Amino acid sequence: MTATTPTPEATSVVAPRRGAPAPRRGGGRSTSRNLAGWVFVSPMLLILGLFLVLPIVMAAWVSISDWGGRGSPFASTVGFVGGENYQKLLTGGGLAQKDFATSLRNNAYYVLLVVPLQTALSLGLAVLVNRRALRGRGFFRTAFYFPSVTSSVAITVVFLFLFTASGAVNRVLAWVGIHGPNWVNDPRGVIHIVLGVFGVDSPPPALQSAPLLGLPWWQWIAGPSVSMCVFIFMAIFTTSGTFMLLFIAALQNISGEIDEAAQVDGANGRQRLFRVTIPMLRPTIFTVVTLGLIGTWQVFDQIYTGTQGGPAKTTLTPAFLSYQTSFISQNWGQGAAIAFILFAIIVALTVLQRFALRERGVPRRKRFTKGDAA
């Protein structure tokens, strides 16, 4: 029996030489695929850069310059002022700071009331029209969604007509013996009105100081004005239908077997809603609250059409103040600075909301996986 040894020629063919580069398999095909991908996405990148990135960069430059609205903001005659526009809004102590603080207060009450109420109402409507026993579900879904597709300007005009001193709302209140206020022209804060019932008509000494943005504590706790309450009703009325559709889609993704299993375990209707259905709607609730936060902090068209910030600036919002400062007062630097502060507020609140609604005890990779599409 003899052992066979490979010849030197066969060894040189099978084993590559030491130090030689490894052969690339499919390298040309991968390069062509990457190139084709960039060609396909290049139109969208060009559009985003032209209509999103470039305006943001231009607005950021305007917020730290003294551009007066004429010519190019990048012209050599436009000066750099640093954070002066931001300083006037946050610590300037003048009318600009007071107006900005007033707009933040008004918008904060608007957000605090609209976001939770519209979320709860849209969820309730979705649960109602998702019941199989309900007849005419299509009609009710269309009826509830109809205000969302109507022009906001038209709805604002209708609401102003309904809430005038001699409007339909006050006539209905008069039937039950209530003398309604002059809704649209009443600048009184709701909390001030309640305190007035108990004889507190003037600020106590502890609430006369103004350490936050130059606005006294007494004004911060005034609550939404009666006029702002009209816009709060209108926002809830017009947006609940849209969010109702999101909740309906999420409810239809929940298997009926889960509800049946809860019934077998002895859960009643309320327990199934609060302990089974709503926890499974957490991703949709996060989406609805996030969209609500962004939309309510950007409220503009209703204010522009309705009251122009009045009465007594109690419906003034940062978005409308930014427009007013830029286009009316021609102070483009401060107007852009207001917009960027508003952007920072929205981002901060969104991050805070995501932290508050996170799923505790669940690994990060498994969060928001089942209902993210909703």
Side-chain angles (χ1 to χ4, degrees), residues 111-112 115-116 118-119 243 246-247 281-297 344-360 367-368:
V111 173
L112 287 175
V115 174
Q118 76 180 6
T119 304
F243 296 136
L246 296 180
F247 280 122
L281 294 177
R282 184 190 295 267
T284 307
I285 294 174
F286 174 79
T287 303
V288 169
V289 174
T290 301
L291 294 176
L293 271 177
I294 296 173
T296 49
W297 275 108
I345 291 173
I346 293 174
V347 171
L349 290 178
T350 303
V351 173
L352 179 63
Q353 171 210 336
R354 186 172 183 82
F355 176 78
L357 292 179
R358 74 186 188 282
E359 293 183 86
R360 295 171 176 82
R367 292 177 185 172
F368 299 135

Side-chain angles (χ1 to χ4, degrees), residues 9 48 171 261 273 328 335:
E9 291 76 6
L48 289 177
R171 289 180 181 272
L273 175 63
I328 306 301

Side-chain angles (χ1 to χ4, degrees), residues 46-75:
L46 181 62
I47 293 174
L48 289 177
L50 185 61
F51 294 101
L52 183 64
V53 178
L54 182 60
I56 291 177
V57 172
M58 185 178 295
W61 164 247
V62 170
S63 70
I64 54 176
S65 70
D66 60 354
W67 185 56
R70 296 182 178 179
S72 172
F74 299 110

Side-chain angles (χ1 to χ4, degrees), residues 240-287:
S240 297
T242 302
F243 296 136
M244 177 195 70
L245 294 183
L246 296 180
F247 280 122
I248 289 176
L251 287 171
Q252 293 180 347
N253 282 333
I254 298 177
S255 173
E257 297 175 354
I258 298 176
D259 191 64
E260 293 174 0
Q263 292 183 21
V264 171
D265 290 339
N268 56 31
R270 187 178 61 84
Q271 291 172 331
R272 295 199 304 273
L273 175 63
F274 287 100
R275 297 186 179 181
V276 178
T277 303
I278 291 181
M280 297 190 70
L281 294 177
R282 184 190 295 267
T284 307
I285 294 174
F286 174 79
T287 303

Side-chain angles (χ1 to χ4, degrees), residues 91-145:
T91 60
L95 182 61
Q97 185 191 14
K98 188 175 181 180
D99 285 349
F100 182 62
T102 302
S103 68
L104 286 180
R105 179 204 61 182
N106 299 336
N107 215 150
Y109 283 115
Y110 182 85
V111 173
L112 287 175
L113 290 174
V114 170
V115 174
L117 290 178
Q118 76 180 6
T119 304
L121 180 60
S122 57
L123 177 59
L125 292 176
V127 173
L128 178 65
V129 300
N130 196 50
R131 292 179 178 273
R132 297 178 180 177
L134 179 66
R135 293 184 178 179
R137 287 184 295 174
F139 168 77
F140 288 111
R141 290 176 184 177
T142 304
F144 294 145
Y145 183 66

